[in-house]
Amino acid sequence: GFKKTNVPKATFHLLKDYMGVRSFGGIMVYTLFIIVGSNLLSNVPMVILIVDYIKCLPGVQGLDSKDYNIVAGLLLAWVSTVAGNFTLIGSVANLIVAEKAKRHINYNLNFFSYLLFGFTSSVVVLFLGLPVIYGLGIAVVHI
């Protein structure tokens, strides 16, 4: 499928020097990469396609590389989960809800009506929660 096109891998490697887990800018680029990928591919396929490459991010090599590799993985899991709520196609669960709404209450939850809710709530959750999740990730690796 899509993995054989090498698009996810090539895009990851093209952006990897700008992504990382030791700087604010790197975390923001990494987060945006996950958000976009999760909404183009859906969140689960996105994780499957890039999880093996997070060890290549700047900042996950060196003496404490295991720690930052774990943080990068935790960020991938959390951001992709929340990012799946940005759009109707970002997560299979969203599509199931839309189908049930149409069938049971005759409500057509379309891409744009969902986007109004999904985008707004996801942005708030992501950017308020990101520092907390990052801090928890750092704490977890030092337990």
Side-chain angles (χ1 to χ4, degrees):
F2 190 66
K3 187 174 185 174
K4 291 180 183 177
T5 68
N6 271 338
V7 171
K9 179 181 178 182
T11 305
F12 185 89
H13 285 291
L14 180 71
L15 295 174
K16 77 173 181 166
D17 291 337
Y18 304 101
M19 299 188 287
V21 293
R22 293 191 191 209
S23 72
F24 178 77
I27 292 167
M28 290 298 100
V29 174
Y30 184 51
T31 298
L32 290 172
F33 174 75
I34 297 167
I35 290 168
V36 171
S38 292
N39 284 282
L40 289 176
L41 307 174
S42 195
N43 56 352
V44 173
M46 175 62 176
V47 170
I48 291 169
L49 291 171
I50 70 162
V51 70
D52 292 335
Y53 304 119
I54 60 174
K55 63 183 174 275
C56 302
L57 290 172
V60 297
Q61 301 89 16
L63 295 176
D64 55 354
S65 63
K66 180 181 174 194
D67 294 352
Y68 284 96
N69 203 334
I70 292 168
V71 171
L74 290 171
L75 286 174
L76 174 60
W78 185 75
V79 171
S80 65
T81 298
V82 175
N85 292 314
F86 260 73
T87 64
L88 190 57
I89 60 171
S91 173
V92 173
N94 302 344
L95 295 170
I96 292 168
V97 168
E99 178 58 32
K100 294 292 182 182
K102 186 175 185 176
R103 186 179 307 156
H104 295 292
I105 61 173
N106 201 29
Y107 179 75
N108 186 22
L109 184 61
N110 64 38
F111 183 85
F112 293 107
S113 62
Y114 183 87
L115 185 65
L116 180 65
F117 167 79
F119 179 81
T120 306
S121 61
S122 296
V123 167
V124 170
V125 169
L126 273 167
F127 291 102
L128 289 178
L130 196 58
V132 173
I133 298 303
Y134 181 81
L136 289 172
I138 296 294
V140 163
V141 298
H142 289 90
I143 291 178

